[in-house]
């Protein structure tokens, strides 16, 4: 996220500030959403093979 904000600030020709960081944070999507299918497959595979971390 920070790296994206730095690129955005440079593209605009302005210093990096909290507004740019906040905008990039709002565009960031968690891996559990972006890779939901892969996470589901991994969880299914691990169900009988691993110990839960509860």
């Amino acid at each position: 996220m920070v790296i994206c904000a730095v690129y955005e600030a440079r593209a605009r020709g302005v210093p990096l500030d909290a507004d740019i960081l906040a905008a990039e944070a709002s565009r960031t999507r968690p891996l559990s959403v972006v890779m939901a299918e892969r996470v589901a497959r991994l969880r299914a595979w691990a169900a009988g093979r691993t110990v839960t971390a509860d």
Side-chain angles (χ1 to χ4, degrees):
M1 173 197 80
V2 174
I3 293 171
C4 291
V6 169
Y7 283 127
E8 181 65 26
R10 288 195 181 207
R12 292 183 192 179
V14 298
L16 180 62
D17 62 11
D19 290 336
I20 295 173
L21 284 167
E24 287 301 323
S26 71
R27 285 188 278 245
T28 301
R29 294 176 33 197
L31 283 177
S32 62
V33 172
V34 175
M35 302 182 75
E37 295 84 13
R38 289 187 71 183
V39 171
R41 281 196 310 260
L42 181 59
R43 285 183 176 149
W45 173 87
R49 296 177 173 93
T50 60
V51 177
T52 60
D54 293 336

